[in-house]
Structures are given as C-alpha cells and as structure tokens.
Amino acid sequence: MSRDGSSGDPRRLIASWRARPPEPVAGPPLLPVPEAPAVEVITAVRRLVRPGPPSVRPCPAPRPELLRLATALVVDEHPSAPAWSAADREAVAEWVAVLIEYRGEDGVQALLRALGRG
C-alpha cells in the first residue's frame, strides 16, 4: 500500500480523489515548466484541443471528474498558479480537463512540452 492509502491501482486513487480531493502540499511545484500567465497556458491548451487558427468559441463543458483531476495534477502544480486569479485557475482547469478528455495523458505531455518551450 502506498503513502496515500491506495493499493497502487490508479483507478482507486482517482476514485479516492473524487470522493475527497487531496490537500495541497507545501513546497515547490512539480511541473517542470517555466512560470507563465494563465492566458499563455490557456492559449497553449487551446492550440492542442483545437489546432488551427485561434477560435473565440468557449471551452466545451468538461466532465466534473476530469476537472478535479486537471486541477490537482496540472493547475495546482503549475509554478505560476498561486499568482493566478480564481477565474484564471478555473479557466485553465476547464481547458486542461477538455484536453485530458480528448487526448488523455498524451495531451498533458504535449502541453508540458509546449509550456517548456515557452
């Protein structure tokens, strides 16, 4: 059994997060990306979700469980997140959740590469 109480099964871990989101942990952010304004992160995610010319269409509605996952694994770990407004954090989380739904972990890895080049 791991420190978080899961048996190592990712589905159980995610289910436990859905029931009770983990508390933020003090320390440096875990994402290996440079600091950036939320609008830059949103722009990078939008390019991955909707390739081509920028669109003014709003973000598709993300599934709630993916929204929580996006918040915990990407937004909360971004080095600039503490400086973002609540609305910015919510917008980044929504777009990342849609990215996860469309492209899964490959989408998140593509986002990390795009932000790392920033």
Side-chain angles (χ1 to χ4, degrees):
M1 185 167 287
S2 66
R3 281 189 346 215
D4 59 20
S6 71
S7 63
D9 179 5
R11 289 177 293 226
R12 286 187 181 164
L13 178 60
I14 292 170
S16 74
W17 287 351
R18 289 176 63 191
R20 185 180 43 86
E23 294 294 320
V25 178
L30 298 178
L31 290 185
V33 296
E35 292 189 16
V39 69
E40 287 182 21
V41 178
I42 293 168
T43 300
V45 177
R46 286 178 72 163
R47 279 192 210 115
L48 293 168
V49 170
R50 295 185 178 142
S55 170
V56 294
R57 291 181 289 169
C59 181
R63 293 188 354 223
E65 63 273 16
L66 294 178
L67 185 59
R68 287 188 288 273
L69 185 64
T71 299
L73 297 181
V74 177
V75 177
D76 289 347
E77 297 303 329
H78 194 284
S80 298
W84 295 343
S85 70
D88 285 343
R89 290 174 58 86
E90 183 177 333
V92 172
E94 288 173 350
W95 278 104
V96 171
V98 170
L99 177 64
I100 292 170
E101 185 167 0
Y102 287 4
R103 297 188 53 194
E105 183 181 347
D106 290 342
V108 174
Q109 293 301 319
L111 175 61
L112 295 179
R113 286 190 300 276
L115 295 175
R117 287 190 295 261

Coordinates of all heavy atoms in Angstrom, one line a residue, residues 40-54 74 95-96 98-117:
E40 N -1.4 32.5 -21.2 CA -0.4 31.8 -22.0 C -0.7 30.3 -21.9 O -0.6 29.6 -22.9 CB 1.0 32.1 -21.6 CG 1.4 33.5 -22.1 CD 2.9 33.8 -21.7 OE1 3.7 32.8 -21.5 OE2 3.2 35.0 -21.6
V41 N -1.0 29.8 -20.7 CA -1.3 28.4 -20.5 C -2.5 28.0 -21.3 O -2.6 27.0 -22.0 CB -1.3 28.0 -19.0 CG1 -1.7 26.6 -18.8 CG2 0.0 28.4 -18.3
I42 N -3.6 28.9 -21.1 CA -4.8 28.6 -21.8 C -4.6 28.6 -23.3 O -5.2 27.7 -24.0 CB -5.9 29.6 -21.4 CG1 -6.3 29.5 -19.9 CG2 -7.1 29.5 -22.3 CD1 -7.1 30.6 -19.4
T43 N -3.9 29.5 -23.8 CA -3.6 29.6 -25.3 C -2.9 28.3 -25.7 O -3.3 27.7 -26.8 CB -2.7 30.8 -25.6 OG1 -3.5 32.0 -25.2 CG2 -2.4 30.9 -27.1
A44 N -1.9 27.8 -25.0 CA -1.2 26.5 -25.3 C -2.2 25.4 -25.3 O -2.2 24.5 -26.2 CB -0.1 26.3 -24.4
V45 N -3.1 25.3 -24.3 CA -4.0 24.2 -24.2 C -5.0 24.3 -25.4 O -5.3 23.3 -26.0 CB -4.8 24.2 -22.9 CG1 -5.8 23.1 -22.9 CG2 -3.8 24.1 -21.7
R46 N -5.5 25.5 -25.7 CA -6.5 25.6 -26.8 C -5.9 25.2 -28.1 O -6.6 24.6 -28.9 CB -6.9 27.1 -26.9 CG -7.9 27.4 -25.7 CD -8.3 28.9 -25.8 NE -9.2 29.0 -27.0 CZ -10.0 30.1 -27.1 NH1 -10.0 31.1 -26.3 NH2 -10.8 30.1 -28.2
R47 N -4.6 25.5 -28.3 CA -4.0 25.0 -29.6 C -3.9 23.5 -29.7 O -4.0 22.9 -30.8 CB -2.5 25.5 -29.7 CG -2.4 27.0 -30.1 CD -1.0 27.3 -30.4 NE -0.8 28.7 -30.2 CZ 0.0 29.3 -29.3 NH1 0.7 28.5 -28.5 NH2 0.0 30.5 -29.1
L48 N -3.8 22.8 -28.5 CA -3.7 21.4 -28.5 C -5.1 20.8 -28.7 O -5.3 19.7 -29.3 CB -3.1 20.9 -27.2 CG -1.6 21.2 -27.1 CD1 -1.1 20.9 -25.7 CD2 -0.8 20.4 -28.2
V49 N -6.1 21.5 -28.1 CA -7.5 21.0 -28.2 C -8.1 21.3 -29.6 O -8.8 20.4 -30.2 CB -8.4 21.6 -27.1 CG1 -9.9 21.3 -27.3 CG2 -8.0 21.1 -25.7
R50 N -7.8 22.5 -30.1 CA -8.4 22.9 -31.4 C -7.3 23.4 -32.3 O -7.0 24.7 -32.3 CB -9.4 24.0 -31.2 CG -10.6 23.6 -30.4 CD -11.6 24.7 -30.4 NE -12.8 24.3 -29.7 CZ -13.5 25.1 -28.8 NH1 -13.1 26.3 -28.6 NH2 -14.6 24.6 -28.2
P51 N -6.5 22.6 -32.9 CA -5.5 23.0 -33.8 C -6.0 24.0 -34.9 O -7.2 23.9 -35.3 CB -4.9 21.8 -34.4 CG -5.4 20.6 -33.5 CD -6.7 21.1 -32.9
G52 N -5.1 24.8 -35.4 CA -5.5 25.8 -36.4 C -5.6 27.2 -35.9 O -5.1 27.5 -34.8
P53 N -6.3 28.1 -36.6 CA -6.4 29.5 -36.2 C -7.1 29.6 -34.8 O -8.0 28.8 -34.5 CB -7.2 30.1 -37.3 CG -7.1 29.2 -38.5 CD -6.9 27.8 -37.9
P54 N -6.8 30.6 -34.0 CA -7.5 30.7 -32.7 C -9.0 30.9 -32.9 O -9.5 31.5 -33.9 CB -6.9 32.0 -32.2 CG -5.6 32.3 -33.0 CD -5.8 31.6 -34.3
V74 N -2.4 19.4 -12.7 CA -1.8 20.4 -13.6 C -1.9 21.8 -13.0 O -0.9 22.4 -12.7 CB -2.5 20.4 -15.0 CG1 -1.8 21.5 -15.9 CG2 -2.3 19.0 -15.7
W95 N -10.0 24.0 -19.5 CA -9.3 23.6 -20.7 C -8.5 22.4 -20.6 O -8.5 21.5 -21.5 CB -8.5 24.8 -21.3 CG -9.4 25.8 -22.0 CD1 -9.8 27.0 -21.5 CD2 -9.9 25.7 -23.3 NE1 -10.6 27.6 -22.5 CE2 -10.7 26.8 -23.6 CE3 -9.9 24.7 -24.2 CZ2 -11.4 27.0 -24.8 CZ3 -10.6 24.8 -25.5 CH2 -11.3 26.0 -25.7
V96 N -7.7 22.2 -19.5 CA -6.9 21.1 -19.3 C -7.8 19.8 -19.2 O -7.5 18.7 -19.7 CB -6.0 21.2 -18.1 CG1 -5.3 19.9 -17.8 CG2 -4.9 22.3 -18.3
V98 N -10.7 19.3 -20.6 CA -11.1 19.0 -22.0 C -9.9 18.4 -22.8 O -10.1 17.4 -23.5 CB -11.6 20.3 -22.7 CG1 -11.8 20.0 -24.2 CG2 -12.9 20.8 -22.1
L99 N -8.7 18.9 -22.6 CA -7.6 18.3 -23.2 C -7.4 16.8 -22.8 O -7.2 15.9 -23.6 CB -6.3 19.1 -22.9 CG -5.0 18.5 -23.4 CD1 -5.0 18.5 -24.9 CD2 -3.8 19.3 -22.8
I100 N -7.6 16.5 -21.5 CA -7.5 15.2 -21.0 C -8.5 14.3 -21.6 O -8.3 13.2 -22.0 CB -7.5 15.1 -19.5 CG1 -6.3 15.8 -18.8 CG2 -7.7 13.7 -18.9 CD1 -6.4 16.0 -17.3
E101 N -9.8 14.8 -21.7 CA -10.8 14.0 -22.3 C -10.5 13.7 -23.8 O -10.8 12.6 -24.2 CB -12.2 14.8 -22.2 CG -13.3 14.0 -22.7 CD -14.7 14.5 -22.3 OE1 -14.7 15.6 -21.6 OE2 -15.7 13.9 -22.7
Y102 N -10.0 14.7 -24.5 CA -9.8 14.5 -26.0 C -8.5 13.7 -26.2 O -8.5 12.8 -27.1 CB -9.6 15.8 -26.7 CG -10.9 16.6 -26.9 CD1 -12.1 16.2 -26.3 CD2 -10.9 17.8 -27.5 CE1 -13.3 17.0 -26.5 CE2 -12.0 18.6 -27.7 CZ -13.2 18.1 -27.2 OH -14.4 18.9 -27.4
R103 N -7.5 13.9 -25.5 CA -6.2 13.3 -25.8 C -5.5 12.5 -24.7 O -4.4 12.0 -24.9 CB -5.2 14.4 -26.3 CG -5.8 15.1 -27.6 CD -4.8 16.1 -28.2 NE -3.5 15.5 -28.4 CZ -2.4 16.2 -28.8 NH1 -2.5 17.5 -28.9 NH2 -1.3 15.6 -29.0
G104 N -6.1 12.5 -23.5 CA -5.6 11.7 -22.4 C -4.2 12.2 -22.0 O -3.9 13.4 -22.1
E105 N -3.4 11.2 -21.4 CA -2.1 11.6 -20.9 C -1.2 12.2 -22.0 O -0.4 13.0 -21.8 CB -1.4 10.4 -20.3 CG -0.1 10.7 -19.7 CD 0.6 9.5 -19.1 OE1 -0.1 8.4 -18.9 OE2 1.8 9.6 -18.8
D106 N -1.4 11.7 -23.3 CA -0.6 12.2 -24.4 C -0.8 13.7 -24.5 O 0.1 14.5 -24.8 CB -0.9 11.5 -25.7 CG -0.5 10.1 -25.7 OD1 0.4 9.7 -24.9 OD2 -1.0 9.3 -26.6
G107 N -2.0 14.2 -24.3 CA -2.4 15.6 -24.4 C -1.6 16.4 -23.3 O -1.1 17.5 -23.5
V108 N -1.6 15.8 -22.1 CA -0.9 16.5 -21.0 C 0.6 16.6 -21.2 O 1.2 17.6 -21.0 CB -1.2 15.8 -19.6 CG1 -0.4 16.4 -18.5 CG2 -2.7 15.9 -19.3
Q109 N 1.1 15.5 -21.8 CA 2.6 15.5 -22.1 C 2.9 16.5 -23.2 O 3.9 17.2 -23.1 CB 3.0 14.1 -22.5 CG 3.0 13.1 -21.4 CD 3.8 13.5 -20.2 OE1 4.9 14.0 -20.4 NE2 3.3 13.3 -19.0
A110 N 2.0 16.6 -24.2 CA 2.1 17.6 -25.2 C 2.1 19.0 -24.7 O 2.8 19.9 -25.1 CB 1.1 17.4 -26.3
L111 N 1.2 19.2 -23.7 CA 1.1 20.5 -23.0 C 2.4 20.9 -22.3 O 2.9 22.0 -22.4 CB -0.1 20.6 -22.1 CG -0.3 21.8 -21.3 CD1 -0.4 23.1 -22.1 CD2 -1.4 21.7 -20.3
L112 N 2.9 19.9 -21.6 CA 4.1 20.2 -20.8 C 5.3 20.5 -21.8 O 6.1 21.4 -21.5 CB 4.5 18.9 -20.0 CG 3.6 18.6 -18.8 CD1 4.0 17.4 -18.1 CD2 3.4 19.8 -17.9
R113 N 5.3 19.8 -22.9 CA 6.4 20.1 -23.9 C 6.2 21.6 -24.5 O 7.1 22.3 -24.6 CB 6.4 19.1 -25.1 CG 7.0 17.8 -24.7 CD 7.2 16.9 -25.9 NE 6.0 16.6 -26.6 CZ 5.1 15.6 -26.3 NH1 5.3 14.9 -25.2 NH2 4.0 15.4 -27.0
A114 N 4.9 21.9 -24.8 CA 4.6 23.2 -25.3 C 5.0 24.3 -24.3 O 5.5 25.4 -24.7 CB 3.2 23.3 -25.7
L115 N 4.6 24.1 -23.0 CA 4.9 25.1 -22.0 C 6.4 25.2 -21.7 O 6.9 26.3 -21.4 CB 4.1 24.8 -20.7 CG 2.6 24.9 -20.8 CD1 2.0 24.4 -19.5 CD2 2.2 26.3 -21.2
G116 N 7.1 24.1 -21.8 CA 8.5 24.1 -21.5 C 9.3 24.8 -22.6 O 10.4 25.4 -22.3
R117 N 8.8 24.9 -23.8 CA 9.4 25.7 -24.8 C 9.2 27.1 -24.7 O 9.9 27.9 -25.3 CB 8.9 25.2 -26.2 CG 9.4 23.9 -26.7 CD 9.1 23.6 -28.1 NE 7.6 23.5 -28.3 CZ 7.0 22.4 -28.4 NH1 7.6 21.2 -28.3 NH2 5.7 22.4 -28.7

